[in-house]
Amino acid sequence: MTAMATDDGVRTDRGALAVALAEARAGRAEGGIPIGAALVVDGEVLAVGRNRRVQDASPILHGETDCLANAGRLPASVYARATMVTTLSPCDMCTGAILLYGIPRVVIGENRTFLGGEELLRSRGVEVVVLDDPACVELMRDFVAAEPALWNEDIGED
Amino acid sequence: MTAMATDDGVRTDRGALAVALAEARAGRAEGGIPIGAALVVDGEVLAVGRNRRVQDASPILHGETDCLANAGRLPASVYARATMVTTLSPCDMCTGAILLYGIPRVVIGENRTFLGGEELLRSRGVEVVVLDDPACVELMRDFVAAEPALWNEDIGED
């Protein structure tokens, strides 16, 4: 089973996840780390992003932060209606970015290959939905097996 | 009293803060938000950065994250010897970035105008030093008074 966009488009969490997963796959095709994200506001995708550590030689462009950067400067009232959709459980940095901007809802493709700041998000009142999507798990499992050093670099480990 | 580099240079926390404060002032001169940072490793400044919300229309380039971006891709062993020096108490996003990369020490110019994730940093074993520097306080007080809407945008408030 893979995440598929449906006729509901991004109005369903699985439809929105398909958009983020397409970003993750595009990143992998570029030689990058396959994690993607989408910022959904009022049932529309406001921006997408993907991890660009390899592509841009950047340690701060994770899927979620690249997505926020691509969304540009927004008023707090827009973040307050947003859902951050990400293929992988958000790391401490991306957790913090979600908290900074008061994004009230996070949809996560999977947290089997990496568990980030879900507990902190929930403790601060953020709704966290984990879809446990097999396609997201498979993409990361294959990547981590193929590129363990690159993956460790991305999460600050040796 | 202003933070001044001394003959000790960045080998003292106040000398390193002077480097970060110069970044903050350069940002203000560009019309930006006056928060600066420096990443110090083994007594040398590895990179500097400043808030670039205005300059680059970016919501993810705070002083600390811009500094990490400017430092480029680093192995965990370098972050493990680093001190993040910042003119202002780090927000949730920058707190998370410090935690992600396992930076063990943070030097903060001031936390009077904004108190960020110092408690979370300490709870995760990070050494947090607050210098309570009057020049840092004055720079932010003047900026917040002059540009309250811009400041609120930077911290995700209306």
Side-chain angles (χ1 to χ4, degrees):
Chain A
M1 190 180 107
T2 56
M4 298 277 289
T6 69
D7 288 347
D8 292 328
V10 299
R11 291 183 184 275
T12 68
D13 289 339
R14 288 197 180 271
L17 181 63
V19 175
L21 184 55
E23 283 292 305
R25 287 183 166 140
R28 186 75 174 109
E30 292 166 343
I33 298 169
I35 305 168
L39 191 69
V40 176
V41 179
D42 302 336
E44 305 285 341
V45 174
L46 196 68
V48 297
R50 56 184 182 255
N51 188 302
R52 294 187 187 275
R53 172 176 297 275
V54 172
Q55 297 92 320
D56 291 7
S58 172
I60 68 162
L61 291 177
H62 278 190
E64 300 91 326
T65 48
D66 184 53
C67 182
L68 291 170
N70 290 336
R73 293 171 58 180
L74 297 172
S77 58
V78 174
Y79 292 120
R81 304 197 307 276
T83 295
M84 176 62 80
V85 183
T86 176
T87 57
L88 184 67
S89 186
C91 79
D92 286 323
M93 175 176 67
C94 295
T95 294
I98 290 161
L99 291 171
L100 169 64
Y101 289 118
I103 295 171
R105 189 162 185 272
V106 178
V107 172
I108 295 169
E110 64 107 350
N111 62 9
R112 291 175 186 261
T113 63
F114 177 80
L115 177 61
E118 295 174 25
E119 184 180 321
L120 179 60
L121 287 169
R122 288 193 174 103
S123 78
R124 296 272 297 267
V126 177
E127 181 188 0
V128 177
V129 177
V130 180
L131 294 179
D132 196 24
D133 183 83
C136 291
V137 175
E138 184 183 9
L139 186 64
M140 276 305 291
R141 281 219 175 120
D142 289 352
F143 167 71
V144 172
E147 300 270 13
L150 179 54
W151 172 236
N152 282 340
E153 182 190 319
D154 203 53
I155 54 174
E157 296 186 0
D158 272 321
Chain B
M1 187 182 107
T2 56
M4 298 276 288
T6 69
D7 288 348
D8 292 327
V10 299
R11 291 184 183 276
T12 66
D13 289 338
R14 289 199 178 270
L17 181 62
V19 175
L21 184 55
E23 283 294 305
R25 288 183 165 139
R28 185 74 173 111
E30 292 165 344
I33 297 171
I35 305 168
L39 191 69
V40 177
V41 178
D42 302 337
E44 305 285 340
V45 174
L46 196 67
V48 296
R50 55 184 181 254
N51 188 301
R52 294 187 187 275
R53 172 176 297 275
V54 172
Q55 297 93 320
D56 291 6
S58 172
I60 68 162
L61 291 176
H62 277 191
E64 299 90 326
T65 47
D66 184 54
C67 182
L68 290 170
N70 289 337
R73 294 172 57 181
L74 297 173
S77 58
V78 174
Y79 292 120
R81 303 197 309 275
T83 295
M84 176 62 79
V85 183
T86 176
T87 56
L88 184 66
S89 187
C91 79
D92 285 324
M93 175 177 67
C94 296
T95 294
I98 291 161
L99 291 172
L100 169 64
Y101 289 118
I103 295 172
R105 190 163 184 272
V106 178
V107 172
I108 296 169
E110 64 106 350
N111 61 9
R112 291 175 186 261
T113 64
F114 177 81
L115 177 61
E118 295 175 23
E119 185 179 322
L120 180 60
L121 288 169
R122 288 193 174 103
S123 78
R124 296 271 297 266
V126 177
E127 181 188 0
V128 177
V129 177
V130 180
L131 295 179
D132 196 22
D133 183 83
C136 292
V137 175
E138 182 183 11
L139 185 64
M140 276 303 292
R141 282 220 174 117
D142 288 352
F143 166 71
V144 173
E147 302 270 14
L150 179 56
W151 173 234
N152 282 340
E153 182 190 318
D154 203 54
I155 54 174
E157 296 186 2
D158 273 321

